[in-house]
Amino acid sequence: MTAGHELADGLADDKSLCVLSTSDIAGIDITLTDVVGVVEQAYRTLADGQSDNPRKLTVKPADGHSVSYAMLGRDGVRDVVAIKTSYKHGLHEERDKQHYYTALTIYDDVTGLPVAMMDCGRIGSLRTPAVSALLARELAAPGSRTALVIGTGTQGRLALPFLLTTLPELDRLMVFGTHPDGIRAVREQLHAYFPDREVEIVDDLRAAAAAADVVVATAGPNTPAEVEADWLKPAALCVLVGHGIAPSTLHRADRVIATSAAQMRVTGTDMVDADGELRAVDAEFPEVLAGRASGRTDAGQSVFAYNSGLVVTDIALGHRFAQLALAQGLGTRVPLWQ
């Protein structure tokens, strides 16, 4: 019996749907190591051809005030199919005036029954920094000791704890941010997971970038940060999640790795060069993890990594949360199809 089938037996012996709210998901304990392991397995399963991850569908009005995504996928190890929807409104507004809703609905592909529908906010907030940490583990130069995180929003707040999970040898942790609440949250999250570690809040971004072995750019579109390639160490790794690094870091890199080359062509258009061209990808990360493609091929190379979300990672982590929720008796039954 597959993992998905076992979960369906526990959660859905009929066509009712188990709905897991934001508070349900927030109350579930999960370790960073568990998250990294689930995400890594999802990538390896995709590389082995056991999962499906079609290109996301995007809708955006002409004035850019909102953006919507729909992502369908299948996890061949867990035997589940799921669809994730994401809607953000007020992109031209300050962060506290924006509206963001994302949900994941999972179906068991053995029994054909619904498994759960859940708020996907926490899943995304864990999955994305876990991917960045995996990229850093595989692509950072040997002996890397210093990390710089740009941005203190949802993705920036857990970036350092996840980096320390995969690169425990890091001994200098820097953050550049402009929001006092975000900076405070970064400190709180680091101390929650690594109480003996301290973060250095930097205001000289150029000097910080010059000292960093790993740079993770998670800032929002209105950030003043824009690290240029010539600010960096020769063998630095730059991981782009949101904003905070200039197109030169992509175009002048020795190697370019993307979680998905197709998604990078769709969502990475802000990184085009002066001619409107986007640098080609040298390898996709699932293939690097599987050992079928090379990431860093020389210790002295500069590497650019593009971290765009793949729905197979959301599905795997969402399914893991559903397993934990079942064990705790969480969720609300909705007879949606009855």
Side-chain angles (χ1 to χ4, degrees), residues 17 81-85 103-107 114 116-118 315 337:
L17 182 66
V81 173
I83 185 166
K84 177 184 177 182
T85 58
L104 181 72
T105 306
I106 305 174
Y107 303 90
M117 179 180 183
M118 65 192 70
I315 293 171
W337 296 290

Side-chain angles (χ1 to χ4, degrees), residues 197-219:
R197 303 301 300 269
E198 295 295 331
V199 61
E200 179 183 343
I201 308 302
V202 299
D203 51 21
D204 187 338
L205 185 59
R206 183 164 189 161
D213 299 299
V214 178
V215 178
V216 181
T218 73

Side-chain angles (χ1 to χ4, degrees), residues 59-286:
V59 174
K60 191 172 185 178
D63 66 0
H65 75 269
S66 70
V67 64
S68 307
Y69 301 107
M71 292 152 277
L72 175 69
R74 184 182 188 280
D75 187 306
V77 166
R78 294 173 178 269
D79 274 324
V80 293
V81 173
I83 185 166
K84 177 184 177 182
T85 58
S86 178
Y87 171 66
K88 181 175 284 189
H89 181 276
L91 298 183
H92 301 318
E93 303 288 342
E94 293 296 322
R95 185 180 303 166
D96 59 354
K97 295 182 180 179
Q98 295 180 359
H99 298 277
Y100 180 55
Y101 310 99
T102 181
L104 181 72
T105 306
I106 305 174
Y107 303 90
D108 183 88
D109 202 30
V110 174
T111 67
L113 294 174
V115 174
M117 179 180 183
M118 65 192 70
D119 168 50
C120 204
R122 187 180 177 205
I123 293 165
S125 71
L126 291 169
R127 176 262 289 159
T128 304
V131 174
S132 294
L134 283 168
L135 287 163
R137 188 192 74 188
E138 298 297 319
L139 303 175
S144 292
R145 304 294 293 271
T146 301
L148 167 65
V149 174
I150 301 170
T152 59
T154 300
Q155 300 305 329
R157 296 174 187 185
L158 278 172
L160 289 175
F162 272 105
L163 283 173
L164 287 171
T165 300
T166 61
L167 291 177
E169 64 272 19
L170 292 172
D171 58 17
R172 185 182 181 191
L173 310 173
M174 299 182 289
V175 167
F176 175 87
T178 58
H179 297 278
D181 289 345
I183 291 171
R184 184 162 47 252
V186 166
R187 292 187 188 276
E188 290 171 354
Q189 291 283 11
L190 180 62
H191 289 158
Y193 290 100
F194 294 92
D196 59 333
R197 303 301 300 269
E198 295 295 331
V199 61
E200 179 183 343
I201 308 302
V202 299
D203 51 21
D204 187 338
L205 185 59
R206 183 164 189 161
D213 299 299
V214 178
V215 178
V216 181
T218 73
N222 299 320
T223 182
E226 193 173 50
V227 170
E228 296 285 353
D230 60 5
W231 298 8
L232 298 168
K233 283 185 172 182
L237 165 66
C238 280
V239 179
L240 180 60
V241 178
H243 300 267
I245 56 179
S248 62
T249 59
L250 165 64
H251 294 279
R252 291 175 54 183
D254 295 315
R255 293 280 290 173
V256 175
I257 311 298
T259 49
S260 166
Q263 285 195 13
M264 181 174 166
R265 288 192 294 270
V266 173
T267 61
T269 54
D270 57 331
M271 297 296 284
V272 297
D273 63 15
D275 298 321
E277 298 294 326
L278 197 61
R279 165 77 182 272
V281 170
D282 294 301
E284 292 189 313
F285 191 53

